[in-house]
Amino acid sequence: MSWLPSLHADTPEEGYEIAIKLSRMAVKKTQPDDNARDRMRPDYANNADSLTQVSLVVATNFQTVAKANEYWKT
Ligand code: HEM
């Protein structure tokens, strides 16, 4: 089963979850070693600038998801 079968989301909130998934998958594909990610998790989880960066990545992906869903206008 594809990890990204569709960008379709019924609501903006559901779309935001897709944006988070896209963002996390980029990290996972870049660093496939689970242990390495586990080790680094406390670094970003306890750093305000890292968390702000995370928000920015998710916001960028959300733009794509929102556009793909025509901004839920209909
Ligand atoms: C957990 C998002 C970057 C490693 C999480 C969680 C979220 C998240 C939402 C909480 C999941 C939950 O408790 O249900 C993101 C986003 C990222 C990012 C959006 C980048 C844009 C990273 C990076 C690393 C990392 C750079 C390490 C190199 C982890 C690990 C967990 C975690 C190990 C714990 C997983 C778990 O408890 O199951 N992340 N993260 N993440 N993240 Fe990230």
Side-chain angles (χ1 to χ4, degrees), residues 4 40 55:
L4 188 63
M40 285 183 269
S55 307

Side-chain angles (χ1 to χ4, degrees), residues 17 19-28 31 33-42 44 50 53-58 61:
E17 292 301 321
I20 291 174
K21 188 172 185 176
L22 286 169
S23 307
R24 294 190 77 185
M25 276 306 280
V27 172
K28 192 174 179 182
Q31 176 47 274
D33 183 342
D34 290 354
N35 292 326
R37 291 197 313 277
D38 283 350
R39 224 175 28 245
M40 285 183 269
R41 161 77 168 157
Y44 90 87
S50 298
Q53 283 277 97
V54 164
S55 307
L56 189 54
V57 173
V58 174
N61 282 318

